[in-house]
Amino acid sequence: MGLTSRARDERAHPLASDAVTWFDREAALCEFQDARLGERFRMLLKQIGGDIGQSIPMVCQDWANTKAAYRFFSNERVSEADILSGHFKSTRERIAAAKGPVLVLHDTTEFTYQRERPDLIGMINPSYS
């Protein structure tokens, strides 16, 4: 069974659909070496973005999808630049479309987990016995 002409057009031009999600907009601008990697990334982004803050095994829901996600992220043909390229392009487009000033917030929060006596890490405190 073949695709309808609209389905073919949407597949060829993912930004042409009326029901385009932010996942599709961000992922459509990514530049992967292989189109299959781009499609897999779109699926992963939809899974992870649908439940932000959860671990990969939680959002993937089963072992096969979890293994596929880890395989994608460890693929030598996938780089951080490939993954972020769509986001950077999409951000540039949003900034260019703004008609006024753009407020850019930056969080500089840091956590430092230093101890006064690091030699005691992992030791049982005798006063708790």
Side-chain angles (χ1 to χ4, degrees):
M1 188 160 251
L3 293 172
T4 66
S5 62
R6 180 179 169 145
R8 273 194 302 272
D9 291 343
E10 287 176 4
R11 192 168 176 186
H13 305 286
L15 298 177
S17 171
D18 294 334
V20 173
T21 65
W22 74 268
F23 307 113
D24 297 320
R25 283 191 301 273
E26 297 277 324
L29 297 172
C30 289
E31 297 177 7
F32 290 100
Q33 294 178 16
D34 186 329
R36 293 172 295 182
L37 292 172
E39 184 58 36
R40 182 65 189 140
F41 178 64
R42 242 185 304 286
M43 290 171 46
L44 276 170
L45 190 59
K46 192 173 282 190
Q47 285 177 309
I48 293 170
D51 204 357
I52 293 175
Q54 292 296 321
S55 66
I56 289 175
M58 289 298 290
V59 297
C60 290
Q61 298 181 358
D62 63 27
W63 176 243
N65 282 321
T66 300
K67 187 173 179 182
Y70 284 122
R71 192 178 309 126
F72 174 84
F73 290 122
S74 66
N75 188 327
E76 291 178 0
R77 297 182 305 153
V78 175
S79 71
E80 180 180 354
D82 296 335
I83 291 170
L84 292 175
S85 65
H87 175 63
F88 291 153
K89 288 176 186 173
S90 186
T91 300
R92 273 194 293 277
E93 289 176 3
R94 286 190 293 269
I95 298 296
K99 295 184 179 169
V102 176
L103 179 62
V104 179
L105 303 176
H106 180 71
D107 183 358
T108 58
T109 303
E110 275 183 31
F111 293 100
T112 303
Y113 297 101
Q114 294 179 351
R115 297 179 183 243
E116 289 180 22
R117 298 208 34 216
D119 55 312
L120 294 178
I121 296 174
M123 302 287 281
I124 298 175
N125 189 339
S127 63
Y128 292 120
S129 305

